[in-house]
């Protein structure tokens, strides 16, 4: 491999980046490219994705860019959207390019582009091989590059340093289950984390985690969770032109679900419908390509099933509705009697429950909230979430919420109040990024 490492010859980062780059190149050749071709054969990947992942610049690239923002998952893209909303209100003339690394993130990025004129385009970030990423940064040549949450790519960071591109991390977090991996390479991570001008983290606990893997405390500032700063747009609950056995539909909306959570909820539905006529289930799987499998399961269980992509889903009665398109949850959250937060019933670490909280919906969560442990602790301390401690408690908790509208309304009100409080502390990312673009070298909290 003839990849050049840009750190100086005496820089200890140089040989570590060389080993990392070799490992990354082998992973791309032997694993990522074959996997991508397999997904493309199954129709799960865009045909232009591979060339961009290998380093080709986007075709529609504008002549100059102020800012590139990189986010991968659905949750990270939500955080990116919240920050871009802040930036557009502060500087409507900004030219922002949005990059991602998977199909779900790409679809959400295109949705954001349709909503926010300051986003000039969307593309895939190349895999983190030195030759590809260095050429990509050089060709796009933004003033600044922002990475969201856990996107700690050594060659990307080093390429920004080499080309004088101001770099920052926003909404920074480290998953507890991954912390040990970073500790094993603490010396290397310390040098990688020396590339960003500053690290904007979600809370004090994240600060301790980043310090634990070698971050410079002088580069760290606490700016809160960006997702909590973005109120959902005003939306209307879907109008259903039918009744469920003579009763208006009562929606249980389960967001960001994983298997076997969907099966658990569908198995409970007949009993809930007997106790509470009109009860229907809306499932939003975390990965929409599971929609066909979920449809088959619902039908095998004797449930009438529809999908959002079908024209008749609002006119014909169903027991289960599968949301098989991304970005469609907000209207259903706004019309839900109960929201069930996926990823928390099964052992998947949980998903962000701030969006239904903004709609003042009662939110049922399971015991697996590792990814949002601090936020969940604050909500639970205010009785703003309803906890099912295990699978056996799920039907009991749903029965209590459906059978006690006053209690459910009180839970929703408390969830909204907690969301407002969380949002008050996370509105500074836009100003911090503008300071980065203006060449300020001090930390964001010294400017705000």
């Amino acid at each position: 491999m003839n990849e050049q490492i840009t750190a100086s010859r005496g820089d200890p980062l140089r040989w570590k980046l060389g080993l990392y780059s070799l490992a990354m190149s082998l992973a791309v050749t032997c694993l990522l490219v074959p996997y991508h071709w397999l997904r493309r054969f199954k129709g799960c990947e865009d045909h232009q994705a591979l060339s961009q992942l290998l380093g080709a610049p986007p075709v529609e690239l504008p002549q100059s860019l102020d800012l590139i923002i990189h986010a991968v998952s659905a949750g990270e893209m939500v955080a990116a959207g919240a920050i871009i909303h802040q930036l557009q209100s502060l500087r409507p003339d900004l030219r922002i390019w949005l990059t991602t690394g998977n199909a779900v993130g790409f679809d959400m990025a295109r949705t954001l582009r349709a909503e926010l004129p300051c986003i000039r385009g969307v593309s895939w970030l190349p895999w983190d091989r030195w030759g590809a990423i260095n050429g990509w940064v050089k060709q796009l040549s933004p003033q600044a590059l922002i990475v969201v949450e856990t996107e700690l790519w050594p060659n990307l960071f080093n390429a920004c340093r080499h080309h004088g591109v101001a770099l920052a991390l926003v909404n920074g977090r480290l998953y507890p289950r991954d912390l040990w991996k970073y500790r094993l390479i603490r010396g290397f991570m310390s040098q990688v984390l020396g590339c960003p001008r500053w690290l904007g983290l979600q809370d004090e606990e994240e600060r301790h985690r980043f310090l634990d893997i070698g971050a410079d405390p002088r580069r760290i500032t606490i700016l809160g969770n960006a997702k909590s700063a973005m109120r959902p747009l005003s939306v209307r609950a879907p109008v259903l032109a039918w009744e469920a056995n003579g009763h208006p539909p009562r929606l249980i909306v389960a967001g960001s679900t994983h298997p076997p959570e969907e099966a658990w909820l569908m198995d409970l539905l007949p009993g809930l419908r007997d106790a509470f006529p009109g009860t229907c289930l809306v499932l939003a799987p975390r990965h929409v390509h599971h929609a066909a499998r979920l449809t088959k399961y619902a039908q095998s269980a004797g449930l009438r099933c529809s999908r959002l992509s079908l024209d008749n889903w609002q006119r014909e009665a169903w027991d289960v509705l599968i949301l098989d398109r991304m970005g469609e949850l907000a209207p259903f959250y706004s019309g839900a009697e109960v929201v069930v937060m996926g990823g928390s019933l099964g052992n998947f670490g949980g998903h962000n429950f701030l969006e239904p909280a903004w709609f003042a919906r009662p939110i049922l969560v399971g015991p697996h909230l590792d990814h949002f442990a601090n936020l969940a602790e604050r909500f639970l301390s205010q009785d703003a979430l309803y906890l099912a401690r295990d699978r056996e408690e799920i039907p009991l908790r749903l029965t209590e919420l459906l059978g006690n509208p006053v209690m459910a309304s009180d839970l929703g009100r408390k969830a909204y109040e907690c969301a407002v409080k969380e949002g008050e502390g996370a509105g500074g990312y836009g100003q911090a990024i503008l300071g980065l673009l203006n060449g300020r070298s001090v930390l964001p909290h010294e400017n705000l």
Side-chain angles (χ1 to χ4, degrees):
M1 185 183 73
N2 295 319
E3 294 183 331
Q4 177 187 2
I5 303 303
T6 64
S8 63
R9 186 170 297 276
D11 191 336
L13 182 59
R14 185 174 188 266
W15 67 269
K16 295 175 184 177
L17 278 170
L19 290 176
Y20 166 80
S21 295
L22 175 60
M24 193 66 195
S25 292
L26 290 172
V28 166
T29 302
C30 301
L31 298 175
L32 296 178
V33 170
Y35 177 71
H36 180 91
W37 275 107
L38 178 62
R39 286 181 56 80
R40 183 173 170 182
F41 177 75
K42 294 180 177 181
C44 300
E45 294 287 359
D46 183 88
H47 71 280
Q48 294 183 349
L50 183 58
S51 63
Q52 293 183 8
L53 288 167
L54 291 172
V59 176
E60 56 179 352
L61 186 67
Q63 290 186 346
S64 60
L65 287 173
D66 297 309
L67 185 65
I68 293 174
I69 297 180
H70 176 63
V72 174
S73 70
E76 290 171 353
M77 201 58 72
V78 169
I83 292 168
I84 296 171
H85 271 90
Q86 293 179 32
L87 288 168
Q88 182 163 284
S89 66
L90 295 167
R91 279 272 310 274
D93 62 317
L94 275 180
R95 295 159 297 181
I96 298 174
W97 196 270
L98 199 52
T99 65
T100 188
N102 64 40
V104 173
F106 196 88
D107 288 342
M108 292 193 68
R110 287 191 293 195
T111 299
L112 286 175
R113 185 187 182 188
E115 297 174 356
L116 298 165
C118 64
I119 300 177
R120 303 302 173 90
V122 175
S123 65
W124 298 78
L125 181 75
W127 286 315
D128 199 42
R129 301 176 304 149
W130 173 249
I133 204 72
N134 181 57
W136 184 86
V137 170
K138 181 179 180 180
Q139 184 157 1
L140 271 67
S141 190
Q143 291 185 47
L145 190 146
I146 304 297
V147 294
V148 181
E149 294 199 4
T150 54
E151 291 299 290
L152 308 178
W153 293 109
N155 279 326
L156 174 64
F157 282 25
N158 191 43
C160 288
R161 182 178 72 166
H162 178 59
H163 292 289
V165 175
L167 174 68
L169 174 73
V170 299
N171 218 48
R173 64 181 306 192
L174 292 171
Y175 293 111
R177 68 170 185 263
D178 294 332
L179 197 58
W180 69 272
K181 303 174 189 176
Y182 291 112
R183 285 177 179 148
L184 289 177
I185 52 171
R186 188 180 190 276
F188 180 49
M189 290 307 303
S190 176
Q191 293 168 319
V192 170
L193 293 173
C195 294
R197 303 280 181 87
W198 48 264
L199 307 170
L201 307 184
Q202 294 185 16
D203 54 38
E204 190 65 28
E205 188 161 340
E206 295 299 341
R207 178 179 180 273
H208 288 300
R209 289 173 183 157
F210 273 83
L211 290 175
D212 199 19
I213 67 168
D216 185 340
R218 296 170 297 179
R219 295 178 186 266
I220 292 177
T221 186
I222 307 300
L223 289 174
N225 187 340
K227 299 171 190 175
S228 64
M230 184 175 176
R231 294 173 180 255
L233 300 175
S234 297
V235 297
R236 294 183 179 180
V239 176
L240 303 178
W242 50 270
E243 292 188 340
N245 299 325
H247 298 272
R250 304 178 65 181
L251 300 184
I252 298 174
V253 179
S256 298
T257 56
H258 298 257
E261 294 171 327
E262 301 101 343
W264 295 349
L265 294 170
M266 284 191 275
D267 291 345
L268 293 175
L269 188 57
L272 292 172
R273 290 171 65 84
D274 289 342
F276 306 101
T279 301
C280 301
L281 177 63
V282 177
L283 285 175
R286 183 69 171 177
H287 303 290
V288 294
H289 62 271
H290 289 166
R293 174 184 57 80
L294 295 176
T295 300
K296 290 180 181 179
Y297 187 90
Q299 292 170 343
S300 69
L303 299 170
R304 295 169 298 176
C305 187
S306 188
R307 290 165 66 163
L308 192 66
S309 58
L310 300 177
D311 292 335
N312 63 352
W313 71 268
Q314 287 182 290
R315 299 189 301 272
E316 295 189 8
W318 40 263
D319 304 315
V320 178
L321 175 66
I322 310 297
L323 303 191
D324 53 0
R325 297 196 302 253
M326 293 297 298
E328 304 281 357
L329 253 174
F332 293 94
Y333 277 156
S334 71
E337 288 205 28
V338 177
V339 169
V340 178
M341 206 64 248
S344 68
L345 306 178
N347 190 9
F348 300 97
H351 291 297
N352 182 27
F353 45 81
L354 282 166
E355 186 174 21
W358 279 114
F359 288 112
R361 301 294 91 191
I363 304 167
L364 177 66
V365 297
H368 304 289
L369 296 163
D370 298 350
H371 294 172
F372 296 88
N374 296 332
L375 183 65
E377 183 178 348
R378 293 193 292 272
F379 270 63
L380 287 167
S381 70
Q382 299 299 314
D383 296 322
L385 297 174
Y386 210 41
L387 178 64
R389 291 178 175 81
D390 52 40
R391 180 184 175 184
E392 285 67 34
E393 282 195 358
I394 297 171
L396 174 62
R397 298 293 177 245
L398 286 173
T399 298
E400 290 170 342
L401 290 171
L402 290 169
N404 192 334
V406 174
M407 181 186 73
S409 177
D410 189 53
L411 273 165
R413 176 183 58 79
K414 291 177 179 177
Y416 175 79
E417 291 172 353
C418 283
V420 170
K421 186 174 180 180
E422 292 291 327
E424 289 172 351
Y429 281 105
Q431 288 284 4
I433 292 170
L434 289 184
L436 189 71
L437 287 169
N438 292 333
R440 298 177 189 166
S441 58
V442 292
L443 289 175
H445 62 73
E446 298 178 48
N447 292 288
L448 301 178

